[in-house]
Amino acid sequence: MDHFYNRMLTATRMITTGLVLLVMLSSQVKAQSTTVQGTITDAADGSPIVGANILIKSTTNGTITDVDGKFTVEAGANDVLVVSFIGYLTEEIPVGSRSMINVPLKVNTTSLAEVVVVGFGEQKKANLSGAVDAIDGKVLEARPIQNVAQGLQGTVPNLNIDFLSGEPGGTPNINIRGVNSISSNGQPLILVDNVPMDAKDLNFIAPADIKSISVLKDASSAAIYGARAAYGVILITTKSGTQDGVQINYSNNFSWSKPTVLPNKITDPYIYMRLLETSTDNTPWDYVNYTAEQYQWAKERSDDPNSSPPVRLNPSDNTQWAYMGNRDWTKYYLDHPSMSQRQNLALSGKAGTTTYYLSGSYDSQNGVLKLAQDKFDRYSFRGKINFKPYKWLSIGNNTSAAFTDRVKPYYMSIENLYNIFPTSWDKNPDGTWANNDAGRVGAQLSNGGQNNTKINMLQSTFSGELSFFDRMLRINSDFTIRRDNTDSTSYQRKYDIGYGPEDIRTEGTNTAYRS
């Protein structure tokens, strides 16, 4: 028994000693972590790669390169850096004792076999001398988007897309490689199935109908498309029927969104009032002068917000309301989760020498405005059919229709939502809208009227192609007709503001417009 006990004691000591050594070794390795710096460049021309990913292998720790292709990361001697970027081969670099690591990335030549749409048909990337990027339609299908331009964001280097307003159904601002002229914003030429369109027309296309997108980035595109292509070309190709039989596809997407960046404002009434008055003292704009009684009320609300209500009768005039709020009204009116949805049903197939594609989509996008209806709806339909009676003759039709409906308040000013005083309040104790900027914004948004813009678009393209010598010689002809109908209605309505318990006044005007 004693012999067994001694063996157990010895084994326990050995395990304990091993654990201590393991901890010491781990601490030593961790202590040897150093700052690794370097630059990621293109192996072909040495230009820096912006936004390349540097990740420590088998961990989630990493960073990205800056505008000069430089990076800084904490790594140990036994770590391996995994460097990757879209369109380039991934490299794995052991750190060792180095503190400076420069990595030239090679272009992924396998992607050169991809077929992209160019001016006169299709070519492999390897055969192109200009800068071209191709995006498969599956990339758009995997994203929770309501607009084709939203799906392109971040997919192509040097393709810059932003939505300045952020409102539902907004028109994107698109440029390739930045603004190239002081007299032009550098908008690229956009072609959808070889038909020119504006950026706003991307709202008429269902993302699920996209087969592929090619982006021609350099000015050599002008040799094919003329001066309009001086700032690049975006070629969008929609889906067609390809397989024998009938294929039915249904997809849907539901997403929730909210503003990502909102300013953090001072909401303490006492601090805000002191800063506001101090900032205007001894200036030509010295119009802010609070009384000692107002400061006392603000201090009470600051120390204990529940000590007194934000609205009370004015001590100097019992017929009027006085306010002392403590709220960030920008977040109150805008920080509202919005739901968007996308439904798509497609029927495609091939029967003999005829291929067809029929689709219908419904997209709905809500804004982040809290009080009023702020919404964009789209119904879109597409029908494509191609008939090939002979090997050398092909006849087809591509018809699309879209119906959009944009609803928003008549009084819609982001500037007003950002400039509301935190000391304001929205509602009086009797339920009327308050006699201050927060109350008026609330009254205008909810009761002040509405703008409603409906656009109906119908487009049909008839095409024919003659091909000879195994398609080495092709003659194409197409004819496109399009009709847009815009119905815009707008009405402005009076709203009530409560100045006091028995003093409710009507402001604004009643007007209506239609075009």
Side-chain angles (χ1 to χ4, degrees), residues 4-52:
F4 176 75
Y5 173 76
N6 291 332
R7 292 183 63 182
M8 289 293 295
L9 183 60
T10 301
T12 302
R13 289 175 177 172
M14 292 176 64
I15 293 174
T16 304
T17 302
L19 290 174
V20 172
L21 291 174
L22 183 60
V23 172
M24 292 175 64
L25 180 61
S26 177
S27 300
Q28 183 179 5
V29 173
K30 184 177 180 179
Q32 292 177 352
S33 295
T34 58
T35 299
V36 179
Q37 298 177 337
T39 305
I40 310 300
T41 58
D42 188 312
D45 57 14
S47 60
I49 298 178
V50 182

Side-chain angles (χ1 to χ4, degrees), residues 58-243:
S58 301
T59 71
T60 58
N61 301 327
T63 184
I64 62 174
T65 56
D66 59 17
V67 294
D68 297 318
K70 299 182 182 297
F71 72 93
T72 301
V73 67
E74 294 291 331
N78 298 325
D79 289 333
V80 176
L81 300 184
V82 180
V83 183
S84 61
F85 190 69
I86 299 174
Y88 290 84
L89 293 174
T90 300
E91 297 285 348
E92 295 190 3
I93 311 297
V95 175
S97 59
R98 294 180 293 177
S99 60
M100 179 66 68
I101 299 177
N102 297 323
V103 183
L105 292 183
K106 297 179 181 179
V107 174
N108 186 357
T109 55
T110 58
S111 66
L112 296 178
E114 295 178 359
V115 175
V116 297
V117 178
V118 292
F120 300 115
E122 300 174 345
Q123 292 286 341
K124 288 186 177 182
K125 275 189 176 182
N127 299 333
L128 299 176
S129 59
V132 180
D133 274 293
I135 305 98
D136 193 274
K138 294 180 180 179
V139 175
L140 304 184
E141 293 178 5
R143 293 188 169 195
I145 57 173
Q146 268 67 42
N147 185 291
V148 175
Q150 291 175 341
L152 287 175
Q153 286 181 312
T155 59
V156 177
N158 298 317
L159 176 61
N160 308 304
I161 300 176
D162 58 72
F163 294 82
L164 299 181
S165 66
E167 64 175 328
T171 299
N173 182 29
I174 304 175
N175 70 68
I176 298 175
R177 292 180 172 173
V179 178
N180 301 312
S181 171
I182 60 175
S183 61
S184 173
N185 59 3
Q187 291 280 344
L189 173 64
I190 301 175
L191 296 174
V192 180
D193 291 332
N194 296 323
V195 178
M197 287 191 176
D198 296 328
K200 62 181 179 63
D201 295 329
L202 295 178
N203 278 326
F204 297 140
I205 305 174
D209 286 343
I210 302 297
K211 175 186 176 183
S212 66
I213 300 176
S214 296
V215 181
L216 285 62
K217 299 181 183 179
D218 53 23
S220 62
S221 307
I224 302 174
Y225 296 103
R228 293 185 61 186
Y231 301 109
V233 183
I234 298 177
L235 304 174
I236 300 177
T237 303
T238 59
K239 294 178 180 178
S240 301
T242 56
Q243 300 180 11

Side-chain angles (χ1 to χ4, degrees), residues 344-376:
N344 186 81
L345 178 64
L347 178 69
S348 63
K350 181 179 180 181
T353 58
T354 302
T355 61
Y356 58 90
Y357 178 85
L358 303 173
S359 72
S361 298
Y362 169 67
D363 298 86
S364 176
Q365 183 180 5
N366 290 302
V368 295
L369 199 59
K370 187 174 183 178
L371 291 180
Q373 188 176 12
D374 183 20
K375 189 177 182 181
F376 175 80

Side-chain angles (χ1 to χ4, degrees), residues 178-326:
V179 178
N180 301 312
S181 171
I182 60 175
S183 61
S184 173
N185 59 3
Q187 291 280 344
L189 173 64
I190 301 175
L191 296 174
V192 180
D193 291 332
N194 296 323
V195 178
M197 287 191 176
D198 296 328
K200 62 181 179 63
D201 295 329
L202 295 178
N203 278 326
F204 297 140
I205 305 174
D209 286 343
I210 302 297
K211 175 186 176 183
S212 66
I213 300 176
S214 296
V215 181
L216 285 62
K217 299 181 183 179
D218 53 23
S220 62
S221 307
I224 302 174
Y225 296 103
R228 293 185 61 186
Y231 301 109
V233 183
I234 298 177
L235 304 174
I236 300 177
T237 303
T238 59
K239 294 178 180 178
S240 301
T242 56
Q243 300 180 11
D244 291 331
V246 179
Q247 286 79 42
I248 300 176
N249 294 298
Y250 170 74
S251 62
N252 63 63
N253 185 285
F254 297 89
S255 61
W256 283 262
S257 61
K258 62 184 301 184
T260 54
V261 179
L262 287 176
N264 292 319
K265 299 182 177 181
I266 296 175
T267 58
D268 186 291
Y270 183 78
I271 295 177
Y272 180 83
M273 290 167 60
R274 284 294 186 188
L275 286 174
L276 185 61
E277 182 168 353
T278 302
S279 66
T280 57
D281 285 344
N282 302 318
T283 70
W285 305 276
D286 187 11
Y287 58 88
V288 179
N289 296 284
Y290 294 107
T291 65
E293 186 178 28
Q294 289 175 313
Y295 276 122
Q296 181 180 356
W297 187 18
K299 193 69 171 75
E300 293 173 357
R301 293 272 297 156
S302 176
D303 295 338
D304 184 8
N306 298 321
S307 61
S308 59
V311 185
R312 70 180 185 184
L313 291 176
N314 191 336
S316 302
D317 185 356
N318 288 332
T319 65
Q320 303 293 300
W321 298 113
Y323 308 97
M324 189 59 66
N326 60 342

Side-chain angles (χ1 to χ4, degrees), residues 455-511:
I455 301 178
N456 301 329
M457 187 278 294
L458 176 63
Q459 176 177 296
S460 186
T461 300
F462 299 89
S463 60
E465 178 182 285
L466 299 175
S467 61
F468 305 97
F469 309 111
D470 198 17
R471 302 198 73 193
M472 293 181 62
L473 173 63
R474 287 183 290 169
I475 302 174
N476 295 284
S477 177
D478 58 68
F479 175 74
T480 300
I481 56 174
R482 172 169 169 168
R483 178 180 177 85
D484 290 359
N485 179 40
T486 301
D487 184 6
S488 180
T489 59
S490 177
Y491 66 90
Q492 183 181 5
R493 190 167 57 188
K494 294 181 179 180
Y495 50 89
D496 294 332
I497 298 294
Y499 283 72
E502 304 296 333
D503 186 2
I504 301 176
R505 307 179 191 179
T506 300
E507 298 181 1
T509 58
N510 289 327
T511 57

